[in-house]
Amino acid sequence: MERRSTIQKELILNTVRGLKTHVTADYVYENLANKYPSISRGTVYRNLNILCEEGLIKKVKTLYGADYFDFSLHDHYHVKCVSCGKISDVDMEDLPDILPKITDKHGYDICSYNLFFEGYCPNCRKEQK
């Protein structure tokens, strides 16, 4: 079933794409609420999930804390700062043979993946020095 496009959904999609970073639902809400005070937190949460279902954005699940939303739709790796929590894309080629090894050893049919590295972002590294 195709859902109808709403002004709120378009605003939310444009906000996620325009921020060009990994964002939480709360971050999207705060960005929109300043400009559009009538938008509700529930509307933002609901539409972010709808946009994921429609394949227009991607949900990045983390082990601890809130989910993030990514404007980049291809499978790729992420790195999370252990100090400030910022999530960034890792610009590198896929690790060779990782998916066949998982499929062969465990019998899964892999349809997507989310690999996280952890470290300190450049800003937090500067603050530590």
Side-chain angles (χ1 to χ4, degrees):
M1 177 177 93
E2 188 173 322
R3 291 188 168 105
R4 64 187 175 96
S5 185
T6 64
I7 293 170
Q8 292 93 339
K9 189 164 78 170
E10 288 298 316
L11 285 172
I12 293 164
L13 177 60
N14 290 336
T15 300
V16 172
R17 287 180 174 166
L19 290 169
K20 295 196 185 297
T21 189
H22 302 79
V23 293
T24 63
D26 284 338
Y27 191 80
V28 174
Y29 170 73
E30 289 165 10
N31 267 268
L32 285 169
N34 292 330
K35 211 173 191 181
Y36 306 97
S38 65
I39 198 162
S40 74
R41 192 176 300 272
T43 297
V44 171
Y45 276 78
R46 185 173 48 260
N47 279 284
L48 284 169
N49 286 310
I50 290 169
L51 290 165
C52 288
E53 289 171 12
E54 292 176 350
L56 297 171
I57 61 175
K58 192 171 188 175
K59 186 181 289 189
V60 179
K61 294 181 181 275
T62 61
L63 292 177
Y64 310 103
D67 293 334
Y68 284 75
F69 296 89
D70 193 346
F71 65 96
S72 181
L73 298 176
H74 68 281
D75 285 330
H76 56 281
Y77 307 131
H78 294 97
V79 61
K80 182 176 182 178
C81 179
V82 295
S83 182
C84 70
K86 178 181 178 182
I87 294 179
S88 300
D89 289 344
V90 175
D91 297 322
M92 65 180 264
E93 296 293 318
D94 284 341
L95 296 172
D97 303 324
I98 192 169
L99 293 180
K101 285 180 183 175
I102 293 169
T103 300
D104 292 345
K105 273 193 167 180
H106 303 285
Y108 280 82
D109 184 11
I110 306 297
C111 56
S112 180
Y113 61 86
N114 192 6
L115 182 59
F116 266 92
F117 298 96
E118 290 185 339
Y120 292 93
C121 72
N123 289 337
C124 291
R125 269 199 337 259
K126 280 183 205 172
E127 289 176 12
Q128 287 180 338
K129 290 181 180 179

